[in-house]
Amino acid sequence: MADVLVAMALEDAQKSTPPVRAAALMRIARVQALSDVLAARETFDIGLAEARLIEGNDGESLMEDARMLAAAVAPDRLKNIGTTARRHPHFMHEQFLSGQLGTVMIEHGHGDAAFEYVMSSDLTAFPFGVVHSLMQQLDDERQLTVFRRAIEAWRANRNDHPANMFSHLFQAKWELLPLEEARTVAREI
């Protein structure tokens, strides 16, 4: 039944205007990923290629959507999508989007991709919002690695980040650190 619905949706998408078709294909891929990962990646790639051809605000909006949908279907595609030209004036927006990408990866069973994403995230837009959820899925060694990366991000931007984002994480996970390291971070907070 689901295959029939997906086939009908793909057929309808082909009859649509380019922006609608691109958006529809990327969203259909998200549904396909539940049963056929390879078909989902192919559908996503077709939708993404079409989205790249759309100019202006529609194109920028589609590319923003593409990042979230890639996190669900094919997280490895995120590096090739990049960010849009539309920049937001406050780092919190970028940090929120970064956290959302990681959350979507976890929700769709891409824990290893979420780990790699967090570890390679830009410190200025570090995804604090996903770190705690990610750490719950990791072994002790990888939890410590992620926690130290979060500490590094907090230290690099402590004047910009709201203190409670990191302090809540620290309160929950400080025991992962050797005692002296934990004390040093606690003093800095």
Side-chain angles (χ1 to χ4, degrees), residues 91-107:
F91 82 94
M92 286 299 293
H93 181 77
E94 293 300 321
Q95 189 179 58
F96 173 77
L97 290 177
S98 182
Q100 285 296 104
L101 289 170
T103 298
V104 169
M105 286 180 211
I106 291 170
E107 289 172 349

Side-chain angles (χ1 to χ4, degrees), residues 42-97:
E42 184 178 322
T43 301
F44 178 81
D45 287 343
I46 293 168
L48 178 60
E50 292 206 22
R52 289 182 196 276
L53 300 175
I54 314 260
E55 297 179 355
N57 287 337
D58 287 346
E60 289 180 16
S61 181
L62 284 168
M63 294 309 290
E64 283 182 5
D65 289 348
R67 291 178 54 75
M68 287 297 168
L69 294 164
V73 176
D76 58 304
R77 302 295 200 265
L78 278 171
K79 291 177 184 171
N80 298 328
I81 296 173
T83 57
T84 62
R86 205 175 1 183
R87 301 305 295 178
H88 299 279
H90 198 273
F91 82 94
M92 286 299 293
H93 181 77
E94 293 300 321
Q95 189 179 58
F96 173 77
L97 290 177

Side-chain angles (χ1 to χ4, degrees), residues 31-182:
V31 173
Q32 282 180 310
L34 297 172
S35 61
D36 189 344
V37 174
L38 293 176
R41 291 172 71 87
E42 184 178 322
T43 301
F44 178 81
D45 287 343
I46 293 168
L48 178 60
E50 292 206 22
R52 289 182 196 276
L53 300 175
I54 314 260
E55 297 179 355
N57 287 337
D58 287 346
E60 289 180 16
S61 181
L62 284 168
M63 294 309 290
E64 283 182 5
D65 289 348
R67 291 178 54 75
M68 287 297 168
L69 294 164
V73 176
D76 58 304
R77 302 295 200 265
L78 278 171
K79 291 177 184 171
N80 298 328
I81 296 173
T83 57
T84 62
R86 205 175 1 183
R87 301 305 295 178
H88 299 279
H90 198 273
F91 82 94
M92 286 299 293
H93 181 77
E94 293 300 321
Q95 189 179 58
F96 173 77
L97 290 177
S98 182
Q100 285 296 104
L101 289 170
T103 298
V104 169
M105 286 180 211
I106 291 170
E107 289 172 349
H108 288 82
H110 303 295
D112 287 338
F115 174 80
E116 293 301 322
Y117 179 73
V118 166
M119 294 307 297
S120 65
S121 287
D122 181 354
L123 295 179
T124 61
F126 189 78
F128 282 104
V130 73
V131 169
H132 193 271
S133 319
L134 175 61
M135 288 174 70
Q136 290 176 334
Q137 298 184 8
L138 301 174
D139 61 42
D140 289 346
E141 183 179 334
R142 289 177 87 186
Q143 282 188 51
L144 183 57
T145 301
V146 169
F147 192 34
R148 284 184 169 142
R149 179 71 173 162
I151 292 168
E152 178 185 7
W154 175 75
R155 283 177 171 154
N157 300 287
R158 78 178 76 192
N159 294 328
D160 294 331
H161 291 288
N164 64 345
M165 292 183 77
F166 176 72
S167 63
H168 288 302
L169 177 65
F170 184 77
Q171 287 173 357
K173 297 293 185 178
W174 71 269
E175 291 173 330
L176 291 171
L177 297 170
L179 189 55
E180 272 311 304
E181 187 176 353

